[in-house]
Amino acid sequence: MDATAHEISSQPDVWERALTLADDAHAVVAAPGDRTLILGCGTSWFVAQSLAELREAAGFGETDALCASEYVPRRRYDRVVAITRSGTSTEVLDALRAVPSGTRRVAVTAVTGEAVDDLVDERLVLNFADETSVVQTRFPTTVLATARAAFGADLTHLVADGRAALAAPLPADPAAVDHLVFLGTGWTVGLAHEAALKAREAAQAWSESYPARDYRHGPVAVAGARSLVWSFGAVPESLDDVARSAGATPYRDTRDPLAQLVLAQRFAVALAAHRGLDPDRPRLLTRSVVLA
């Protein structure tokens, strides 16, 4: 089994461990009352989007999410949380250096002993979720599982749903799909963006992602018979009819959205195999973007 597939299959067990850290994570990512900015690059940016929506909806305070490379210290925050698996991404480190004095700086990471350690006041280290793969799978889902538990969500179903997603049939034959569209709403918009990124990274696929209700505002125009339109979370079922009207195949299931993402990860790996690609060696990508 290749590393990416192994890390995908390990997720329910890793989540089970993560859920025991809810109290530790509460102080770091919930931080009730703090006006908070969450930063990241690539996958971590999409995790930041989901976390921001989850934290604010849970009533812990105003929360923004931003791509780390676009950070400009104009707005006032009590806390800046950087999500960085490697602790070495240049844009994340540069953003942390630009955070104004007096703002609490936090890293959510999978490693210790890296450059990010010297730039933050506290860390949430999920080293048991670290990965050897370039393509992230279990680290981002573990960050989200840990944070959701810290925010008070009932996740008693999560591990079982994850295992069910590993055993479930794929929603379509990869040989029949040329175009993927992922839709989300609320915190699952970030998951939709992440699923689309997985398909691009692992399988060099044509994949898109949108807030669900925006799909009718233009993007549906390119859907056709070889399109798979995949919904995460509480996306209106009427959008399945929109997909069908374009000749596309809609897909949704009732498992937890993180488990739905596991299935999307599996589909990306299967699509890579169909195309003769190795997801452990994605084109033009490295584990961390470190700029000169």
Side-chain angles (χ1 to χ4, degrees), residues 88-290:
T88 60
S89 296
T90 298
E91 292 100 323
V92 171
L93 301 180
D94 286 348
L96 286 170
R97 292 185 183 105
V99 172
S101 176
T103 306
R104 191 152 190 85
R105 296 175 298 177
V106 177
V108 180
T109 184
V111 296
T112 58
E114 296 294 351
V116 74
D117 294 0
D118 295 330
L119 297 175
V120 296
D121 303 297
E122 58 185 317
R123 298 172 303 168
L124 177 63
V125 180
L126 303 174
N127 53 4
F128 57 92
D130 198 8
E131 300 158 319
T132 61
S133 297
V134 171
V135 175
Q136 296 193 46
T137 55
R138 74 181 181 191
F139 176 70
T141 62
T142 301
V143 172
L144 285 166
T146 306
R148 290 171 69 196
F151 297 158
D154 178 5
L155 297 181
T156 53
H157 61 284
L158 179 61
V159 172
D161 279 7
R163 291 182 176 136
L166 291 172
L170 296 177
D173 180 355
V177 176
D178 292 333
H179 174 220
L180 290 132
V181 180
F182 296 95
L183 305 178
T185 185
W187 77 276
T188 66
V189 174
L191 298 190
H193 293 331
E194 170 59 8
L197 180 63
K198 289 292 88 77
R200 291 191 291 269
E201 290 177 329
Q204 298 175 28
W206 177 20
S207 60
E208 304 176 86
S209 51
Y210 302 97
R213 290 175 179 84
D214 208 50
Y215 187 53
R216 286 177 287 224
H217 292 258
V220 67
V222 297
R226 293 180 64 84
S227 300
L228 178 62
V229 180
W230 193 316
S231 293
F232 286 94
V235 169
E237 292 189 12
S238 61
L239 289 172
D240 292 355
D241 294 332
V242 173
R244 291 189 190 98
S245 71
T249 300
Y251 176 75
R252 66 176 63 229
D253 67 58
T254 59
R255 290 181 282 267
D256 186 275
L258 285 183
Q260 295 170 17
L261 181 57
V262 169
L263 187 60
Q265 293 167 348
R266 287 181 53 217
F267 190 87
V269 168
L271 186 59
H274 169 69
R275 296 180 171 197
L277 301 171
D278 182 356
D280 285 354
R281 296 170 178 79
R283 181 174 181 264
L284 304 176
L285 303 179
T286 58
R287 173 176 160 89
S288 174
V289 175
V290 178

